[in-house]
Amino acid sequence: MKKLLCTLLSLCFVLALSAPVFADDYTIPEPDDPEYADDTSVEVVYTADGGAASNEDVSKNAAFIPPAFGSPSAYTPNNAAYLTPNLVPNAMAATGAGIGGEYIAPPSYGQTEDTPLFDAADAPQALAEGSVTTSGTRPYTESANRYTDVTSDLYYADGSLGTLKIPAIGVNVKVYQGTGSDTLAKGAGHFEDSSVWDGNVAIAGHNRGANCCFGEIHTLNIGDTITLSTKLGTRTYAVTSVAKVSETDRSGLAATSDNTLTLYTCVRDQRAFRWCVSATEIP
């Protein structure tokens, strides 16, 4: 009996070893499409109705290098050099955006007087051809920002400085000195630190209430015309940009070398932002 039991156990052991072995069936799903973040090189500024107002290049190709410390232009507004002049976006290179239409090559360390000045549109080609260098080849010349101060003889009998007209949105409003509440209750207000004629004229207005003359400026299109009439004459400007900017962004008030017009108003229900419309004189 004992021998029979051992035989049966051995037989079971052999049968167990000879049984087929099957591997588990695994299924690995294909990966989903990659999730990419938004492009950080372009900042899209939207209007209140969701339409894109402008696409602003915020990459290093649109960055600036400030003038050298202690140079003649160290404290001149809008005076800087592109970080990568050979990669300047076409639109900015053509207009000289942010530097008044001029490109100022940065001086080398310790240099303050021998920096060349040349047009922004020619900057990449000039650097490529070697006709100018960042070390300087001729006496430094600062960009000539233009400015007209408000004097007593520029006021009309009703106390205004002039009239602003924007046909595209039906605006025909008087412009007064200052941007306080009392002033804006009468019409549009001229920023006291900005020029009143030559250079950059900056004007503010309400976007709601009884005198909401600027309530629709964010709907303006590139190329829409704006006319400013003062005792010094009448100028017509064409809109070049419409953007939502921070409440603390005062760059639009800087002096310019060409004749420009800058309009500001609040953004409805967004106290931290302002609508900023820029326009350039039509020759």
Side-chain angles (χ1 to χ4, degrees), residues 227-250:
T227 301
L228 176 65
S229 297
T230 72
K231 282 193 172 183
L232 294 172
T234 297
R235 277 196 177 123
T236 300
Y237 305 81
V239 173
T240 55
S241 71
V242 179
K244 184 190 292 185
V245 300
S246 169
E247 177 190 13
T248 59
D249 184 352
R250 313 295 286 180

Side-chain angles (χ1 to χ4, degrees), residues 79-268:
N79 184 21
Y82 284 112
L83 176 62
T84 55
N86 60 316
L87 299 176
V88 173
N90 291 334
M92 298 184 70
T95 60
I99 52 175
E102 293 174 321
Y103 178 87
I104 300 176
S108 57
Y109 180 77
Q111 180 189 354
T112 60
E113 297 182 355
D114 293 326
T115 304
L117 178 66
F118 52 95
D119 188 78
D122 297 330
Q125 181 179 357
L127 286 174
E129 295 175 352
S131 57
V132 296
T133 65
T134 56
S135 61
T137 57
R138 58 183 183 270
Y140 179 87
T141 304
E142 291 189 11
S143 58
N145 290 327
R146 309 175 71 184
Y147 182 87
T148 303
D149 198 9
V150 175
T151 55
S152 58
D153 59 316
L154 296 182
Y155 288 92
Y156 287 94
D158 61 1
S160 69
L161 289 171
T163 302
L164 185 75
K165 296 181 180 180
I166 313 176
I169 55 176
V171 170
N172 185 348
V173 63
K174 293 290 184 68
V175 179
Y176 299 88
Q177 178 73 325
T179 56
S181 299
D182 293 340
T183 301
L184 297 184
K186 297 186 294 183
H190 171 252
F191 282 91
E192 297 179 354
D193 292 337
S194 73
S195 173
V196 73
W197 186 243
D198 290 328
N200 183 24
V201 181
I203 298 174
H206 280 315
N207 75 326
R208 64 173 68 187
N211 191 24
C212 57
C213 55
F214 282 8
E216 300 297 323
I217 65 171
H218 64 282
T219 67
L220 290 172
N221 295 312
I222 305 303
D224 284 344
T225 59
I226 305 173
T227 301
L228 176 65
S229 297
T230 72
K231 282 193 172 183
L232 294 172
T234 297
R235 277 196 177 123
T236 300
Y237 305 81
V239 173
T240 55
S241 71
V242 179
K244 184 190 292 185
V245 300
S246 169
E247 177 190 13
T248 59
D249 184 352
R250 313 295 286 180
S251 59
L253 303 180
T256 59
S257 59
D258 54 352
N259 293 326
T260 59
L261 181 68
T262 305
L263 308 181
Y264 276 103
T265 193
C266 297
V267 177
R268 187 166 298 181

